[in-house]
Amino acid sequence: MTSPSVVPAPAEAPNALFEFLLRLGDDRLVLGSRLSEWCGHGPILEEDIALSNVSLDLLGQATMFLRLAGEVEGKGRDEDALAYWREVVDFRNCLLVELPKGDFGFTVVRQFLFDVHSVVLMDALSRSSNAEIAAIAAKSLKEVKYHVRHSGDWMLKLGDGTHESHRRAQKAVDDLWRFTPELFAADDIDRAMLAAGVAPDLSALKDQWLSLVRDVCERATLTTPHALPQPSVIRGGRTGAHTEHLGHMLAEFQIVARSHPGATW
Amino acid sequence: MVEHEDAGQWPLWEVFTQSEQGAPHEHAGSLHASDAEQALQNARDVYARRGGVISLWVVPSVAITASTPGENGPFFDPGSDKAYRHPQFYKIPRGVRGV
């Protein structure tokens, strides 16, 4: 008898490309959902619309990545099946995007950290050896370049704004920093994608990301820790070990589709 | 960020959109923003999101000087009863667009 394992062995070897596409899709699906919680609650009407627009862009990107994931998996699941009928342990998003939306400062800082990551990632993926991923990335790159312009502008306004806005933005940077190494922690899936020319080297992405983030934070008079913490400190999203927050979000997100399966209007 | 006298309200901006090369920028509406960059971004999201726009102008509303509605008579009427002031005796050549 083999010794008991905390994590049960997968029934079959995971399809690396499928897993990789789930990560891309789920990051955007979950953050788009989190952002949509601001709809009707934005600080002013114009920002309410801006946040909703970014949310819709992210949901559109998630749709494309998850649709492709379903095709790659080849089990007849489309993007809706993947979004609405998976359990929380089957989601592959990083922990950064599932944290509750917090105050406006937290939302802006989280968005900025993610947007910069999206820009460097989509730029690299637009040269992917996988033509479909390259096409989705090229389309997404246009959108995320605008997202980072918007969140970057807010970083400057909040960081270099009033005492209160600076305090809240700095607290968000301090709270969120430990969640960022997960974005660059390469595992077997990432190494397989790198070897196949599908995805870039994550450590090279990290250097680009750090320098862009530090530049804006400096101008926003916000201090960033000297280095990223060890990736082992906080991670798990890529293998389905999520915080308590994702389940609550998914419950609300999935209930209509699950209560009325196959409904049309 | 610009502090404004109206407590809690950011300055008002007028937004002009251009739909194609050579077409005039037309007034689309107004919005609130704390500075020009934010006004451009908000204008993009509010007025250009659904496409059909290739250029945006934002202008602080306070920079616009308007005529007074109460003086519309003396201000505009004298021109309207003199037909010779209007270029209506000319035929516009074929092929001329945008007039």
Side-chain angles (χ1 to χ4, degrees):
Chain A
M1 190 178 154
T2 54
S3 59
S5 167
V6 179
V7 182
E12 53 191 286
N15 178 335
L17 182 57
F18 173 65
E19 286 286 320
F20 178 68
L21 287 165
L22 284 187
R23 294 174 182 188
L24 289 170
D26 287 348
D27 278 356
R28 284 146 191 86
L29 177 66
V30 172
L31 186 57
S33 302
R34 277 289 180 229
L35 216 43
S36 74
E37 293 172 18
W38 281 100
C39 188
H41 302 276
I44 62 164
L45 175 69
E46 289 83 349
E47 186 57 27
D48 197 293
I49 294 171
L51 290 175
S52 299
N53 280 341
V54 174
S55 166
L56 289 173
D57 284 347
L58 291 175
L59 293 177
Q61 294 169 14
T63 301
M64 293 187 287
F65 282 121
L66 291 180
R67 182 182 303 149
L68 184 55
E71 288 168 16
V72 165
E73 187 194 33
K75 292 183 180 169
R77 291 201 284 184
D78 64 5
E79 65 274 20
D80 285 339
L82 289 170
Y84 294 122
W85 293 93
R86 276 180 302 154
E87 301 304 318
V88 62
V89 294
D90 301 321
F91 274 75
R92 293 292 177 263
N93 56 280
C94 60
L95 303 180
L96 175 74
V97 297
E98 70 193 44
L99 302 172
K101 75 182 198 305
D103 61 15
F104 186 65
F106 187 91
T107 285
V108 162
V109 173
R110 185 239 305 265
Q111 194 64 38
F112 172 71
L113 297 174
F114 183 83
D115 289 343
V116 175
H117 177 257
S118 264
V119 167
V120 295
L121 178 62
M122 292 303 157
D123 181 50
L125 287 179
S126 67
R127 296 183 293 276
S128 171
S129 64
N130 181 305
E132 284 165 298
I133 291 178
I136 296 173
K139 184 176 191 298
S140 303
L141 183 59
K142 275 192 202 170
E143 296 174 344
V144 298
K145 276 184 175 172
Y146 178 74
H147 298 172
V148 79
R149 176 172 168 177
H150 187 76
S151 57
D153 191 49
W154 269 117
M155 288 289 285
L156 301 181
K157 285 182 165 62
L158 296 184
D160 197 15
T162 65
H163 176 73
E164 177 71 1
S165 72
H166 176 86
R167 185 185 67 75
R168 291 190 185 214
Q170 184 62 60
K171 183 172 189 316
V173 171
D174 296 342
D175 289 347
L176 285 165
W177 197 251
R178 63 206 166 112
F179 288 95
T180 57
E182 191 182 12
L183 295 168
F184 309 103
D187 61 8
D188 288 344
I189 305 283
D190 298 299
R191 282 185 282 273
M193 292 297 101
L194 174 61
V198 172
D201 180 3
L202 295 187
S203 59
L205 279 196
K206 182 172 83 175
D207 295 340
Q208 279 180 282
W209 179 86
L210 254 183
S211 111
L212 290 166
V213 165
R214 286 203 199 284
D215 173 57
V216 171
C217 284
E218 210 166 282
R219 286 191 285 138
T221 72
L222 296 167
T223 53
T224 50
H226 284 298
L228 292 186
Q230 285 303 307
S232 56
V233 175
I234 294 184
R235 64 190 296 183
R238 300 304 190 203
T239 52
H242 291 282
T243 67
E244 67 199 284
H245 307 295
L246 184 61
H248 294 286
M249 198 207 85
L250 288 179
E252 194 176 338
F253 174 76
Q254 295 176 329
I255 187 159
V256 174
R258 291 183 176 210
S259 304
H260 306 278
T264 56
W265 67 86
Chain B
M1 209 178 288
V2 183
E3 289 288 339
H4 207 245
E5 304 114 28
D6 308 325
Q9 279 282 34
W10 289 340
L12 198 61
W13 299 72
E14 302 300 325
V15 179
F16 298 82
T17 59
Q18 186 187 33
S19 58
E20 58 181 331
Q21 203 79 42
H25 283 73
E26 290 177 349
H27 188 232
S30 56
L31 48 75
H32 292 98
S34 61
D35 60 20
E37 167 64 16
Q38 193 178 54
L40 261 188
Q41 291 185 13
N42 289 347
R44 179 261 192 197
D45 285 326
V46 177
Y47 296 107
R49 161 82 176 167
R50 299 191 207 291
V53 174
I54 62 159
S55 170
L56 273 174
W57 289 349
V58 290
V59 180
S61 301
V62 293
I64 290 178
T65 308
S67 61
T68 319
E71 293 175 9
N72 273 4
F75 210 70
F76 297 118
D77 285 353
S80 57
D81 60 348
K82 300 176 188 67
Y84 50 83
R85 287 191 167 198
H86 302 286
Q88 60 196 6
F89 307 106
Y90 300 97
K91 265 196 165 158
I92 294 172
R94 268 182 303 163
V96 173
R97 298 191 305 158
V99 177

